[in-house]
């Protein structure tokens, strides 16, 4: 068996990433199987909007960004890919629910139809975690693989799944919500989603800070605590101070980081057993603190296949993964 990769659509597309406080936009050119030229210039600060919670000024800003990118691009733009927070039905281009970090758009809202009417361009809309996974799959760390799991470790835990070259959407567009698998049953920690003991509540940066405070409280007598806390109280300490203490080789801090790797491995190993991916990509602001060798060791206790047979790599597209992925999806769906 020598599976071939899905054909790559070539062309020029605009990629837009709608974040909580900013809209990022750029033009992306796909010229052959491996080539990607990206001009990722435009950033629009949503805080410039006079009324950031109103839909109309937000849509006006979005329309202006797309028009500017279209007018300044030498090769003609074929379509627009939008990566946005919130639950998205990409078939219809609908944002289905409201989302805390996107107050200007209260779903259900047909972003595709609205922007197509205003810009005259074809538009594809995708959830940001899915778009980022697709970006890494098409143009980033997972290029060349067909079965890819991406997880994003930040203040929360997100993710996206590509199976046989296709993004997993799920029956209700909630597929790939890896952060909310439960890793416990005894209601120890409540998640931001309202449920208990979600993986996110442990593997995220917020989760690591909570683990740090719990460990410090339960072992407050240890001599390394003072050096770890510095001027903070236990209630104040965050991941920044912990990482600094790891840098100073504080043994307690290293133990807490080891436990964080175990927390990551508990959830990740379960997902890997379901999907059996060839490639696992780890992105997000906390990814830089992951020790991949340590994580592989923790995973080897939990994953059914030999851990050496799975590639585990850091994401390479950073904050641009979503807009690049959305642009690829637009080219593939709309051409
Ligand atoms: Zn949750």
């Amino acid at each position: 068996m020598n599976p071939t990769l899905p054909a790559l659509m070539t062309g020029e597309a605009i990629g837009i990433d709608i974040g909580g406080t900013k809209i990022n936009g750029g033009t992306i050119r796909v010229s052959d199987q491996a080539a990607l030229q990206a001009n990722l210039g435009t950033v629009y600060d949503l805080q410039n909007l006079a009324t950031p919670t109103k839909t109309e000024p937000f849509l006006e800003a979005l329309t202006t960004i797309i028009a500017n990118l279209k007018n300044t691009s030498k090769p003609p733009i074929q379509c627009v890919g939008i990566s946005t927070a919130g639950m998205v039905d990409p078939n219809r281009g609908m944002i289905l629910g409201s989302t805390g970090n996107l107050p200007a758009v209260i779903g259900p809202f047909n972003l595709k139809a609205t922007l197509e009417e205003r810009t005259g361009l074809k538009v594809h809309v995708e959830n940001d975690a899915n778009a980022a996974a697709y970006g890494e799959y098409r143009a980033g760390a997972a290029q060349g693989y067909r079965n890819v799991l991406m997880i994003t470790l930040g203040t929360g835990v997100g993710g996206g799944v590509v199976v046989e070259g296709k993004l997993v959407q799920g029956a209700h567009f909630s597929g790939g919500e890896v952060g909310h698998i439960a890793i416990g049953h005894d209601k120890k920690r409540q998640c931001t989603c309202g449920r208990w003991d979600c993986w996110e509540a442990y593997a995220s940066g917020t989760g690591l800070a909570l683990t740090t405070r719990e460990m410090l409280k339960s072992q407050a007598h240890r001599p390394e605590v003072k050096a770890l806390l510095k001027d903070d109280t236990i209630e104040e300490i965050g991941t920044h101070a912990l990482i600094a203490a790891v840098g100073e080789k504080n043994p307690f801090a290293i133990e807490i980081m080891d436990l964080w790797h175990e927390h990551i491995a508990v959830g990740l190993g379960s997902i890997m057993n379901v999907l059996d991916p060839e490639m696992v990509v780890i992105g997000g602001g906390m990814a830089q603190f992951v020790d991949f060798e340590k994580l592989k060791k923790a995973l080897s206790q939990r994953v059914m296949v030999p851990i050496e047979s799975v590639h585990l790599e850091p994401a390479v597209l950073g904050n641009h993964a979503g807009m690049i992925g959305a642009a690829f999806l637009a080219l593939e769906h709309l051409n």
Side-chain angles (χ1 to χ4, degrees):
M1 278 272 293
N2 182 18
T4 50
L5 286 163
L8 197 61
M9 293 303 302
T10 58
E12 189 92 5
I14 290 171
I16 302 278
D17 185 49
I18 304 171
T21 55
K22 285 190 181 78
I23 302 173
N24 254 294
T27 54
I28 283 126
R29 158 171 262 196
V30 183
S31 48
D32 58 44
Q33 186 71 15
L36 165 80
Q37 287 177 322
N39 160 25
L40 306 166
T42 307
V43 176
Y44 187 90
D45 196 333
L46 280 175
Q47 281 150 355
N48 292 343
L49 298 181
T51 44
T53 53
K54 292 271 168 58
T55 309
E56 186 47 41
F58 164 78
L59 289 172
E60 265 172 37
L62 206 48
T63 308
T64 307
I65 291 169
I66 294 170
N68 287 345
L69 287 165
K70 182 186 172 187
N71 294 338
T72 51
S73 170
K74 279 211 183 96
I77 293 290
Q78 283 156 268
C79 49
V80 182
I82 309 260
S83 156
T84 175
M87 196 181 285
V88 173
D89 170 355
N91 303 327
R92 293 183 295 161
M94 299 277 288
I95 293 180
L96 295 174
S98 61
T99 153
N101 56 2
L102 193 61
V105 175
I106 308 295
F109 180 82
N110 198 321
L111 189 59
K112 174 185 164 76
T114 308
L115 288 178
E116 285 186 344
E117 197 188 304
R118 292 184 184 207
T119 63
L121 288 164
K122 288 278 179 199
V123 174
H124 183 81
V125 187
E126 184 55 77
N127 162 270
D128 53 3
N130 283 348
Y134 205 76
E136 291 289 344
Y137 157 66
R138 275 309 204 185
Q143 216 178 128
Y145 296 93
R146 289 170 64 87
N147 293 288
V148 176
L149 165 64
M150 179 173 178
I151 62 163
T152 314
L153 305 175
T155 48
V157 174
V161 176
V162 175
V163 172
E164 295 300 319
K166 279 216 147 62
L167 260 180
V168 171
Q169 306 283 2
H172 312 92
F173 310 108
S174 183
E177 282 290 341
V178 294
H180 303 285
I181 58 166
I183 60 164
H185 60 88
D186 44 5
K187 293 198 171 179
K188 273 202 179 129
R189 252 185 224 180
Q190 194 164 22
C191 181
T192 51
C193 73
R195 295 167 193 85
W196 287 87
D197 302 323
C198 292
W199 185 35
E200 169 172 307
Y202 290 84
S204 64
T206 321
L208 176 58
L210 278 173
T211 303
T212 307
R213 288 170 209 151
E214 277 178 18
M215 293 273 283
L216 285 169
K217 270 185 211 160
S218 65
Q219 299 178 55
H221 59 277
R222 286 180 55 166
E224 309 100 311
V225 170
K226 208 167 167 240
L228 216 167
L229 277 175
K230 295 206 171 68
D231 295 330
D232 290 335
T233 64
I234 289 180
E235 287 309 324
E236 285 167 347
I237 194 166
T239 51
H240 197 78
L242 176 74
I243 306 289
V246 170
E248 291 158 10
K249 305 214 174 346
N250 183 305
F252 198 5
I254 293 167
E255 265 174 56
I256 298 169
M257 279 305 265
D258 287 352
L259 181 57
W260 183 54
H261 283 75
E262 289 292 326
H263 287 157
I264 298 171
V266 171
L268 183 54
S270 299
I271 304 162
M272 288 170 72
N273 282 336
V274 175
L275 298 171
D276 187 17
E278 299 161 275
M279 166 63 86
V280 177
V281 181
I282 304 183
M286 292 299 291
Q288 60 183 309
F289 306 119
V290 173
D291 177 332
F292 279 72
E293 286 313 307
K294 196 176 273 184
L295 182 59
K296 271 184 199 166
K297 215 171 149 198
L299 283 169
S300 66
Q301 316 288 318
R302 298 184 167 87
V303 176
M304 306 280 281
V305 298
I307 196 65
E308 316 80 65
S309 64
V310 188
H311 299 272
L312 199 69
E313 302 279 347
V316 296
L317 299 179
N319 291 337
H320 298 310
M323 70 163 86
I324 291 172
F328 270 88
L329 285 163
L331 283 168
E332 289 167 24
H333 280 82
L334 303 172
N335 273 325

